Amino acid sequence: QVQLVESGGGLVQPGGSLRLSCAASGMPFSINVMDWYRQAPGKEREWVARITSDGSTNYYADSVKGRFTISRDNAKNTLYLQMNSLKPEDTAVYYCNTPPLRAKNYWGQGTQVTVSS
């Protein structure tokens, strides 16, 4: 059974940092491109970052470029998102996914990130 389990969210002050994790199981993690998405209240889900299967290349939305870093550990079937210099507009539920699962409309439960003073 395929599972993507996000964790690491929480409440942080503006300017603070968080590190999100995504544990994958039931899928060939190491051969798949992986993405982070987020959905803010009242808004559509948006793409945040992508990492290639071997971790050699990353892509970022303009809104997070220079502040967020996506990484992966294929030995642990785990995806990460290091978020620095957080802003209130980063408040959202964060999800990981991969194109084959997204095509089947599979989403994990996500992890809530709240940036507030």
Side-chain angles (χ1 to χ4, degrees):
Q1 181 178 357
V2 171
Q3 270 197 314
L4 296 172
V5 180
E6 301 90 347
S7 62
L11 173 63
V12 63
Q13 292 187 343
S17 299
L18 281 175
R19 189 193 195 202
L20 307 184
S21 298
C22 166
S25 59
M27 59 168 280
F29 180 81
S30 64
I31 67 170
N32 280 297
V33 164
M34 294 295 299
D35 297 295
W36 282 101
Y37 292 83
R38 66 186 182 186
Q39 187 167 20
K43 295 187 177 181
E44 292 189 354
R45 190 172 288 157
E46 65 173 352
W47 172 79
V48 173
R50 167 169 284 191
I51 187 167
T52 52
S53 59
D54 63 356
S56 63
T57 307
N58 305 330
Y59 306 89
Y60 298 94
D62 288 343
S63 58
V64 307
K65 200 172 295 183
R67 300 187 297 121
F68 290 11
T69 302
I70 188 172
S71 62
R72 66 192 297 162
D73 185 337
N74 285 345
K76 296 182 178 179
N77 285 0
T78 302
L79 177 72
Y80 303 99
L81 186 68
Q82 177 67 44
M83 306 187 296
N84 298 329
S85 303
L86 282 161
K87 304 175 181 180
E89 51 263 43
D90 295 317
T91 295
V93 179
Y94 284 71
Y95 303 88
C96 62
N97 215 327
T98 185
L101 293 182
R102 189 184 171 196
K104 298 177 181 179
N105 202 30
Y106 172 89
W107 294 92
Q109 86 288 349
T111 185
Q112 175 71 49
V113 171
T114 303
V115 184
S116 175
S117 55

Short mmCIF file of all heavy atoms in Angstrom, two decimals, residues 40-102:
data_model
loop_
_atom_site.label_atom_id
_atom_site.label_comp_id
_atom_site.label_asym_id
_atom_site.label_seq_id
_atom_site.Cartn_x
_atom_site.Cartn_y
_atom_site.Cartn_z
N ALA A 40 -2.75 27.01 1.07
CA ALA A 40 -3.11 27.98 2.09
C ALA A 40 -4.63 28.05 2.21
O ALA A 40 -5.34 27.69 1.25
CB ALA A 40 -2.54 29.34 1.73
N PRO A 41 -5.13 28.50 3.34
CA PRO A 41 -6.59 28.60 3.52
C PRO A 41 -7.24 29.42 2.42
O PRO A 41 -6.79 30.53 2.12
CB PRO A 41 -6.72 29.28 4.88
CG PRO A 41 -5.46 28.97 5.60
CD PRO A 41 -4.39 28.92 4.54
N GLY A 42 -8.27 28.85 1.81
CA GLY A 42 -9.01 29.56 0.78
C GLY A 42 -8.31 29.66 -0.56
O GLY A 42 -8.81 30.35 -1.46
N LYS A 43 -7.18 28.99 -0.71
CA LYS A 43 -6.44 29.05 -1.97
C LYS A 43 -6.25 27.66 -2.56
O LYS A 43 -6.39 26.66 -1.87
CB LYS A 43 -5.07 29.71 -1.75
CG LYS A 43 -5.16 31.17 -1.33
CD LYS A 43 -3.78 31.81 -1.30
CE LYS A 43 -3.87 33.29 -0.96
NZ LYS A 43 -2.52 33.92 -0.96
N GLU A 44 -5.92 27.62 -3.84
CA GLU A 44 -5.65 26.35 -4.48
C GLU A 44 -4.27 25.85 -4.07
O GLU A 44 -3.39 26.60 -3.69
CB GLU A 44 -5.72 26.52 -6.00
CG GLU A 44 -7.12 26.80 -6.52
CD GLU A 44 -7.20 26.73 -8.03
OE1 GLU A 44 -6.15 26.59 -8.67
OE2 GLU A 44 -8.32 26.83 -8.56
N ARG A 45 -4.13 24.53 -4.16
CA ARG A 45 -2.84 23.92 -3.88
C ARG A 45 -1.83 24.42 -4.91
O ARG A 45 -2.14 24.50 -6.10
CB ARG A 45 -2.96 22.41 -3.94
CG ARG A 45 -1.76 21.64 -3.44
CD ARG A 45 -2.09 20.15 -3.38
NE ARG A 45 -3.01 19.87 -2.29
CZ ARG A 45 -3.80 18.80 -2.26
NH1 ARG A 45 -3.82 17.96 -3.28
NH2 ARG A 45 -4.58 18.59 -1.23
N GLU A 46 -0.60 24.74 -4.47
CA GLU A 46 0.42 25.23 -5.38
C GLU A 46 1.71 24.44 -5.22
O GLU A 46 2.05 23.96 -4.14
CB GLU A 46 0.70 26.73 -5.14
CG GLU A 46 1.31 27.06 -3.80
CD GLU A 46 1.73 28.51 -3.67
OE1 GLU A 46 1.69 29.25 -4.67
OE2 GLU A 46 2.11 28.91 -2.56
N TRP A 47 2.44 24.34 -6.32
CA TRP A 47 3.70 23.64 -6.32
C TRP A 47 4.76 24.52 -5.67
O TRP A 47 4.80 25.74 -5.88
CB TRP A 47 4.10 23.33 -7.77
CG TRP A 47 5.46 22.77 -7.91
CD1 TRP A 47 5.87 21.49 -7.68
CD2 TRP A 47 6.63 23.49 -8.33
NE1 TRP A 47 7.22 21.37 -7.93
CE2 TRP A 47 7.70 22.59 -8.34
CE3 TRP A 47 6.86 24.82 -8.70
CZ2 TRP A 47 8.99 22.96 -8.70
CZ3 TRP A 47 8.14 25.19 -9.06
CH2 TRP A 47 9.20 24.27 -9.06
N VAL A 48 5.66 23.89 -4.89
CA VAL A 48 6.68 24.62 -4.15
C VAL A 48 8.08 24.29 -4.65
O VAL A 48 8.89 25.18 -4.90
CB VAL A 48 6.59 24.31 -2.65
CG1 VAL A 48 7.76 24.92 -1.88
CG2 VAL A 48 5.26 24.78 -2.07
N ALA A 49 8.38 22.99 -4.79
CA ALA A 49 9.74 22.59 -5.14
C ALA A 49 9.74 21.18 -5.71
O ALA A 49 8.84 20.39 -5.45
CB ALA A 49 10.65 22.66 -3.92
N ARG A 50 10.80 20.89 -6.48
CA ARG A 50 10.97 19.56 -7.09
C ARG A 50 12.44 19.15 -6.98
O ARG A 50 13.33 20.00 -7.07
CB ARG A 50 10.54 19.58 -8.54
CG ARG A 50 10.98 18.34 -9.34
CD ARG A 50 10.32 18.26 -10.68
NE ARG A 50 8.94 17.82 -10.54
CZ ARG A 50 8.18 17.44 -11.56
NH1 ARG A 50 8.65 17.48 -12.79
NH2 ARG A 50 6.93 17.05 -11.36
N ILE A 51 12.64 17.85 -6.84
CA ILE A 51 13.98 17.30 -6.83
C ILE A 51 14.00 16.07 -7.74
O ILE A 51 13.07 15.27 -7.73
CB ILE A 51 14.45 16.94 -5.40
CG1 ILE A 51 15.92 16.52 -5.38
CG2 ILE A 51 13.56 15.88 -4.75
CD1 ILE A 51 16.52 16.47 -3.98
N THR A 52 15.06 15.95 -8.53
CA THR A 52 15.18 14.79 -9.41
C THR A 52 15.43 13.52 -8.61
O THR A 52 15.75 13.57 -7.42
CB THR A 52 16.29 15.02 -10.43
OG1 THR A 52 17.49 15.39 -9.73
CG2 THR A 52 15.91 16.11 -11.41
N SER A 53 15.32 12.38 -9.27
CA SER A 53 15.39 11.10 -8.56
C SER A 53 16.73 10.89 -7.85
O SER A 53 16.77 10.32 -6.76
CB SER A 53 15.13 9.94 -9.52
OG SER A 53 16.08 9.95 -10.58
N ASP A 54 17.81 11.39 -8.45
CA ASP A 54 19.12 11.20 -7.83
C ASP A 54 19.53 12.38 -6.96
O ASP A 54 20.64 12.39 -6.40
CB ASP A 54 20.20 10.96 -8.90
CG ASP A 54 20.37 12.14 -9.84
OD1 ASP A 54 19.61 13.12 -9.72
OD2 ASP A 54 21.28 12.08 -10.69
N GLY A 55 18.67 13.35 -6.85
CA GLY A 55 18.95 14.50 -6.00
C GLY A 55 19.90 15.53 -6.60
O GLY A 55 20.31 16.47 -5.91
N SER A 56 20.21 15.39 -7.87
CA SER A 56 21.24 16.26 -8.45
C SER A 56 20.71 17.62 -8.88
O SER A 56 21.50 18.57 -9.01
CB SER A 56 21.87 15.56 -9.67
OG SER A 56 20.90 15.34 -10.68
N THR A 57 19.42 17.72 -9.11
CA THR A 57 18.85 18.98 -9.60
C THR A 57 17.58 19.32 -8.83
O THR A 57 16.74 18.45 -8.60
CB THR A 57 18.53 18.89 -11.09
OG1 THR A 57 19.70 18.45 -11.80
CG2 THR A 57 18.11 20.25 -11.64
N ASN A 58 17.47 20.59 -8.47
CA ASN A 58 16.30 21.09 -7.75
C ASN A 58 15.66 22.25 -8.50
O ASN A 58 16.34 22.98 -9.22
CB ASN A 58 16.70 21.59 -6.35
CG ASN A 58 17.44 20.55 -5.55
OD1 ASN A 58 17.23 19.36 -5.71
ND2 ASN A 58 18.34 21.00 -4.70
N TYR A 59 14.37 22.38 -8.29
CA TYR A 59 13.63 23.49 -8.89
C TYR A 59 12.74 24.09 -7.81
O TYR A 59 12.24 23.36 -6.95
CB TYR A 59 12.75 23.00 -10.04
CG TYR A 59 13.50 22.23 -11.09
CD1 TYR A 59 13.67 20.85 -10.99
CD2 TYR A 59 14.06 22.87 -12.19
CE1 TYR A 59 14.36 20.14 -11.95
CE2 TYR A 59 14.75 22.16 -13.17
CZ TYR A 59 14.90 20.79 -13.03
OH TYR A 59 15.59 20.09 -13.98
N TYR A 60 12.54 25.41 -7.87
CA TYR A 60 11.77 26.09 -6.83
C TYR A 60 10.80 27.09 -7.43
O TYR A 60 11.10 27.73 -8.45
CB TYR A 60 12.69 26.83 -5.86
CG TYR A 60 13.64 25.93 -5.12
CD1 TYR A 60 14.94 25.71 -5.59
CD2 TYR A 60 13.25 25.28 -3.96
CE1 TYR A 60 15.81 24.86 -4.92
CE2 TYR A 60 14.11 24.43 -3.27
CZ TYR A 60 15.39 24.23 -3.77
OH TYR A 60 16.25 23.39 -3.10
N ALA A 61 9.67 27.26 -6.77
CA ALA A 61 8.78 28.37 -7.09
C ALA A 61 9.48 29.67 -6.72
O ALA A 61 10.26 29.72 -5.76
CB ALA A 61 7.47 28.23 -6.32
N ASP A 62 9.19 30.71 -7.47
CA ASP A 62 9.84 32.00 -7.21
C ASP A 62 9.60 32.48 -5.79
O ASP A 62 10.45 33.13 -5.19
CB ASP A 62 9.34 33.05 -8.21
CG ASP A 62 9.87 32.82 -9.61
OD1 ASP A 62 10.86 32.08 -9.76
OD2 ASP A 62 9.29 33.39 -10.55
N SER A 63 8.44 32.15 -5.24
CA SER A 63 8.07 32.64 -3.92
C SER A 63 8.93 32.07 -2.80
O SER A 63 8.98 32.64 -1.70
CB SER A 63 6.59 32.34 -3.64
OG SER A 63 6.35 30.96 -3.74
N VAL A 64 9.62 30.96 -3.06
CA VAL A 64 10.42 30.33 -2.00
C VAL A 64 11.89 30.24 -2.36
O VAL A 64 12.71 29.84 -1.51
CB VAL A 64 9.89 28.92 -1.66
CG1 VAL A 64 8.40 28.97 -1.33
CG2 VAL A 64 10.16 27.92 -2.77
N LYS A 65 12.25 30.62 -3.56
CA LYS A 65 13.63 30.50 -4.01
C LYS A 65 14.56 31.30 -3.11
O LYS A 65 14.28 32.44 -2.76
CB LYS A 65 13.72 31.01 -5.46
CG LYS A 65 14.93 30.53 -6.22
CD LYS A 65 14.83 30.93 -7.69
CE LYS A 65 13.68 30.24 -8.39
NZ LYS A 65 13.62 30.56 -9.82
N GLY A 66 15.65 30.66 -2.70
CA GLY A 66 16.61 31.30 -1.82
C GLY A 66 16.31 31.13 -0.34
O GLY A 66 17.15 31.43 0.51
N ARG A 67 15.11 30.63 -0.02
CA ARG A 67 14.73 30.44 1.38
C ARG A 67 14.49 28.96 1.72
O ARG A 67 14.73 28.54 2.85
CB ARG A 67 13.45 31.23 1.70
CG ARG A 67 13.57 32.72 1.47
CD ARG A 67 12.32 33.45 1.97
NE ARG A 67 11.12 33.05 1.25
CZ ARG A 67 10.04 32.53 1.83
NH1 ARG A 67 10.01 32.33 3.15
NH2 ARG A 67 8.97 32.22 1.10
N PHE A 68 13.98 28.20 0.76
CA PHE A 68 13.68 26.79 0.97
C PHE A 68 14.70 25.93 0.23
O PHE A 68 15.19 26.30 -0.84
CB PHE A 68 12.29 26.45 0.43
CG PHE A 68 11.14 27.02 1.21
CD1 PHE A 68 11.32 27.98 2.19
CD2 PHE A 68 9.84 26.60 0.95
CE1 PHE A 68 10.25 28.51 2.90
CE2 PHE A 68 8.76 27.12 1.64
CZ PHE A 68 8.97 28.08 2.62
N THR A 69 14.98 24.75 0.81
CA THR A 69 15.87 23.79 0.17
C THR A 69 15.24 22.41 0.22
O THR A 69 14.91 21.92 1.31
CB THR A 69 17.23 23.75 0.86
OG1 THR A 69 17.83 25.05 0.85
CG2 THR A 69 18.16 22.77 0.15
N ILE A 70 15.07 21.80 -0.95
CA ILE A 70 14.53 20.45 -1.03
C ILE A 70 15.70 19.47 -1.10
O ILE A 70 16.72 19.74 -1.74
CB ILE A 70 13.59 20.30 -2.24
CG1 ILE A 70 12.88 18.96 -2.23
CG2 ILE A 70 14.34 20.53 -3.55
CD1 ILE A 70 11.78 18.83 -3.31
N SER A 71 15.56 18.34 -0.42
CA SER A 71 16.59 17.31 -0.45
C SER A 71 15.94 15.95 -0.24
O SER A 71 14.76 15.88 0.11
CB SER A 71 17.67 17.56 0.60
OG SER A 71 17.12 17.52 1.91
N ARG A 72 16.71 14.89 -0.43
CA ARG A 72 16.17 13.55 -0.25
C ARG A 72 17.26 12.60 0.21
O ARG A 72 18.44 12.81 -0.06
CB ARG A 72 15.55 13.06 -1.56
CG ARG A 72 16.54 12.85 -2.68
CD ARG A 72 15.82 12.66 -4.03
NE ARG A 72 15.00 11.46 -4.02
CZ ARG A 72 14.01 11.24 -4.91
NH1 ARG A 72 13.74 12.14 -5.83
NH2 ARG A 72 13.32 10.12 -4.85
N ASP A 73 16.82 11.53 0.89
CA ASP A 73 17.69 10.45 1.28
C ASP A 73 17.07 9.17 0.73
O ASP A 73 16.13 8.63 1.31
CB ASP A 73 17.82 10.39 2.80
CG ASP A 73 18.83 9.35 3.27
OD1 ASP A 73 19.10 8.40 2.52
OD2 ASP A 73 19.32 9.49 4.39
N ASN A 74 17.58 8.71 -0.39
CA ASN A 74 16.98 7.54 -1.03
C ASN A 74 17.16 6.27 -0.21
O ASN A 74 16.36 5.34 -0.31
CB ASN A 74 17.55 7.35 -2.44
CG ASN A 74 16.99 8.36 -3.43
OD1 ASN A 74 15.98 9.02 -3.16
ND2 ASN A 74 17.63 8.50 -4.58
N ALA A 75 18.19 6.21 0.61
CA ALA A 75 18.39 5.05 1.47
C ALA A 75 17.30 4.95 2.54
O ALA A 75 17.00 3.88 3.03
CB ALA A 75 19.76 5.11 2.12
N LYS A 76 16.73 6.10 2.90
CA LYS A 76 15.69 6.14 3.93
C LYS A 76 14.31 6.38 3.34
O LYS A 76 13.34 6.52 4.09
CB LYS A 76 16.01 7.24 4.94
CG LYS A 76 17.29 7.02 5.74
CD LYS A 76 17.51 8.13 6.75
CE LYS A 76 18.76 7.88 7.58
NZ LYS A 76 19.00 8.97 8.56
N ASN A 77 14.21 6.44 2.01
CA ASN A 77 12.92 6.71 1.36
C ASN A 77 12.25 7.96 1.95
O ASN A 77 11.04 7.98 2.21
CB ASN A 77 11.97 5.52 1.50
CG ASN A 77 12.33 4.37 0.59
OD1 ASN A 77 13.30 4.45 -0.17
ND2 ASN A 77 11.57 3.30 0.65
N THR A 78 13.05 9.00 2.14
CA THR A 78 12.55 10.20 2.80
C THR A 78 12.93 11.45 2.01
O THR A 78 14.06 11.58 1.54
CB THR A 78 13.09 10.31 4.23
OG1 THR A 78 12.71 9.13 4.96
CG2 THR A 78 12.51 11.51 4.95
N LEU A 79 11.96 12.34 1.92
CA LEU A 79 12.10 13.64 1.27
C LEU A 79 12.08 14.72 2.35
O LEU A 79 11.37 14.56 3.35
CB LEU A 79 10.94 13.85 0.30
CG LEU A 79 10.85 15.17 -0.45
CD1 LEU A 79 11.93 15.24 -1.52
CD2 LEU A 79 9.47 15.34 -1.07
N TYR A 80 12.83 15.79 2.14
CA TYR A 80 12.90 16.87 3.12
C TYR A 80 12.63 18.22 2.47
O TYR A 80 12.81 18.40 1.27
CB TYR A 80 14.29 16.92 3.77
CG TYR A 80 14.70 15.63 4.44
CD1 TYR A 80 15.55 14.74 3.81
CD2 TYR A 80 14.24 15.31 5.71
CE1 TYR A 80 15.94 13.56 4.41
CE2 TYR A 80 14.61 14.12 6.33
CZ TYR A 80 15.46 13.25 5.67
OH TYR A 80 15.83 12.08 6.27
N LEU A 81 12.20 19.16 3.30
CA LEU A 81 12.10 20.56 2.87
C LEU A 81 12.58 21.42 4.03
O LEU A 81 11.91 21.52 5.06
CB LEU A 81 10.68 20.94 2.49
CG LEU A 81 10.53 22.35 1.89
CD1 LEU A 81 11.21 22.42 0.52
CD2 LEU A 81 9.05 22.73 1.76
N GLN A 82 13.75 22.01 3.87
CA GLN A 82 14.28 22.95 4.86
C GLN A 82 13.74 24.33 4.52
O GLN A 82 13.97 24.83 3.41
CB GLN A 82 15.80 22.96 4.85
CG GLN A 82 16.43 23.95 5.79
CD GLN A 82 16.19 23.62 7.25
OE1 GLN A 82 16.30 22.46 7.65
NE2 GLN A 82 15.86 24.63 8.05
N MET A 83 13.04 24.93 5.46
CA MET A 83 12.41 26.23 5.23
C MET A 83 13.03 27.25 6.18
O MET A 83 12.90 27.11 7.40
CB MET A 83 10.90 26.13 5.46
CG MET A 83 10.24 25.03 4.63
SD MET A 83 8.44 25.06 4.75
CE MET A 83 8.24 24.70 6.48
N ASN A 84 13.66 28.25 5.62
CA ASN A 84 14.30 29.32 6.40
C ASN A 84 13.63 30.65 6.07
O ASN A 84 12.92 30.79 5.08
CB ASN A 84 15.78 29.39 6.08
CG ASN A 84 16.53 28.13 6.44
OD1 ASN A 84 16.17 27.42 7.38
ND2 ASN A 84 17.57 27.84 5.68
N SER A 85 13.88 31.63 6.93
CA SER A 85 13.33 32.98 6.72
C SER A 85 11.83 32.94 6.43
O SER A 85 11.35 33.57 5.48
CB SER A 85 14.07 33.69 5.58
OG SER A 85 15.46 33.76 5.84
N LEU A 86 11.13 32.19 7.23
CA LEU A 86 9.70 31.98 6.99
C LEU A 86 8.91 33.28 7.12
O LEU A 86 9.23 34.14 7.97
CB LEU A 86 9.16 30.93 7.93
CG LEU A 86 9.50 29.49 7.52
CD1 LEU A 86 9.35 28.52 8.68
CD2 LEU A 86 8.63 29.06 6.35
N LYS A 87 7.88 33.39 6.30
CA LYS A 87 7.02 34.56 6.27
C LYS A 87 5.58 34.14 6.55
O LYS A 87 5.22 32.97 6.33
CB LYS A 87 7.07 35.20 4.87
CG LYS A 87 8.46 35.57 4.38
CD LYS A 87 8.40 36.07 2.95
CE LYS A 87 9.78 36.43 2.43
NZ LYS A 87 9.74 36.93 1.03
N PRO A 88 4.75 35.05 7.02
CA PRO A 88 3.34 34.69 7.26
C PRO A 88 2.67 34.09 6.03
O PRO A 88 1.82 33.20 6.17
CB PRO A 88 2.72 36.03 7.66
CG PRO A 88 3.84 36.79 8.30
CD PRO A 88 5.05 36.41 7.49
N GLU A 89 3.05 34.54 4.85
CA GLU A 89 2.44 34.00 3.64
C GLU A 89 2.88 32.58 3.31
O GLU A 89 2.37 31.98 2.37
CB GLU A 89 2.72 34.92 2.43
CG GLU A 89 4.17 35.28 2.24
CD GLU A 89 4.53 36.62 2.85
OE1 GLU A 89 4.09 36.91 3.99
OE2 GLU A 89 5.26 37.39 2.18
N ASP A 90 3.82 32.03 4.07
CA ASP A 90 4.18 30.62 3.92
C ASP A 90 3.24 29.71 4.70
O ASP A 90 3.33 28.48 4.59
CB ASP A 90 5.61 30.37 4.41
CG ASP A 90 6.65 31.08 3.57
OD1 ASP A 90 6.53 31.07 2.33
OD2 ASP A 90 7.60 31.65 4.16
N THR A 91 2.33 30.29 5.46
CA THR A 91 1.37 29.50 6.22
C THR A 91 0.50 28.68 5.28
O THR A 91 -0.13 29.22 4.37
CB THR A 91 0.48 30.42 7.07
OG1 THR A 91 1.29 31.06 8.06
CG2 THR A 91 -0.63 29.62 7.76
N ALA A 92 0.49 27.37 5.49
CA ALA A 92 -0.24 26.46 4.60
C ALA A 92 -0.10 25.03 5.13
O ALA A 92 0.71 24.77 6.03
CB ALA A 92 0.32 26.53 3.18
N VAL A 93 -0.87 24.14 4.55
CA VAL A 93 -0.63 22.71 4.72
C VAL A 93 0.31 22.27 3.61
O VAL A 93 0.07 22.56 2.43
CB VAL A 93 -1.94 21.90 4.67
CG1 VAL A 93 -1.65 20.41 4.84
CG2 VAL A 93 -2.90 22.38 5.75
N TYR A 94 1.38 21.60 3.98
CA TYR A 94 2.41 21.19 3.04
C TYR A 94 2.29 19.69 2.76
O TYR A 94 2.11 18.88 3.68
CB TYR A 94 3.80 21.52 3.59
CG TYR A 94 4.14 22.98 3.49
CD1 TYR A 94 3.51 23.91 4.30
CD2 TYR A 94 5.07 23.44 2.56
CE1 TYR A 94 3.79 25.27 4.20
CE2 TYR A 94 5.37 24.79 2.45
CZ TYR A 94 4.72 25.69 3.27
OH TYR A 94 5.02 27.05 3.15
N TYR A 95 2.39 19.35 1.47
CA TYR A 95 2.26 17.97 1.01
C TYR A 95 3.46 17.60 0.13
O TYR A 95 3.97 18.43 -0.61
CB TYR A 95 1.01 17.81 0.14
CG TYR A 95 -0.29 18.20 0.77
CD1 TYR A 95 -0.75 19.51 0.71
CD2 TYR A 95 -1.09 17.26 1.41
CE1 TYR A 95 -1.96 19.89 1.28
CE2 TYR A 95 -2.31 17.61 1.97
CZ TYR A 95 -2.73 18.93 1.90
OH TYR A 95 -3.93 19.28 2.46
N CYS A 96 3.85 16.34 0.20
CA CYS A 96 4.78 15.81 -0.77
C CYS A 96 4.01 14.95 -1.76
O CYS A 96 2.91 14.47 -1.47
CB CYS A 96 5.88 15.00 -0.10
SG CYS A 96 5.29 13.54 0.79
N ASN A 97 4.59 14.79 -2.95
CA ASN A 97 3.95 13.92 -3.94
C ASN A 97 4.94 13.61 -5.05
O ASN A 97 6.05 14.17 -5.10
CB ASN A 97 2.69 14.57 -4.52
CG ASN A 97 1.61 13.55 -4.83
OD1 ASN A 97 1.92 12.42 -5.20
ND2 ASN A 97 0.36 13.93 -4.68
N THR A 98 4.55 12.74 -5.94
CA THR A 98 5.34 12.36 -7.09
C THR A 98 4.38 12.22 -8.26
O THR A 98 3.22 11.85 -8.06
CB THR A 98 6.11 11.06 -6.81
OG1 THR A 98 6.97 10.76 -7.89
CG2 THR A 98 5.17 9.88 -6.56
N PRO A 99 4.80 12.54 -9.48
CA PRO A 99 3.86 12.55 -10.60
C PRO A 99 3.00 11.30 -10.78
O PRO A 99 1.80 11.43 -11.04
CB PRO A 99 4.78 12.81 -11.79
CG PRO A 99 5.88 13.65 -11.22
CD PRO A 99 6.11 13.10 -9.84
N PRO A 100 3.56 10.09 -10.63
CA PRO A 100 2.68 8.91 -10.80
C PRO A 100 1.54 8.86 -9.79
O PRO A 100 0.43 8.43 -10.13
CB PRO A 100 3.64 7.74 -10.62
CG PRO A 100 4.98 8.28 -10.95
CD PRO A 100 4.97 9.67 -10.45
N LEU A 101 1.79 9.29 -8.55
CA LEU A 101 0.72 9.28 -7.54
C LEU A 101 -0.22 10.45 -7.73
O LEU A 101 -1.43 10.34 -7.53
CB LEU A 101 1.32 9.30 -6.14
CG LEU A 101 2.11 8.05 -5.75
CD1 LEU A 101 2.61 8.19 -4.32
CD2 LEU A 101 1.26 6.81 -5.89
N ARG A 102 0.33 11.59 -8.12
CA ARG A 102 -0.52 12.74 -8.35
C ARG A 102 -1.50 12.46 -9.49
O ARG A 102 -2.66 12.89 -9.43
CB ARG A 102 0.32 13.98 -8.68
CG ARG A 102 -0.50 15.24 -8.70
CD ARG A 102 0.31 16.44 -9.12
NE ARG A 102 -0.57 17.59 -9.33
CZ ARG A 102 -0.23 18.68 -9.98
NH1 ARG A 102 0.98 18.79 -10.48
NH2 ARG A 102 -1.07 19.67 -10.13
#
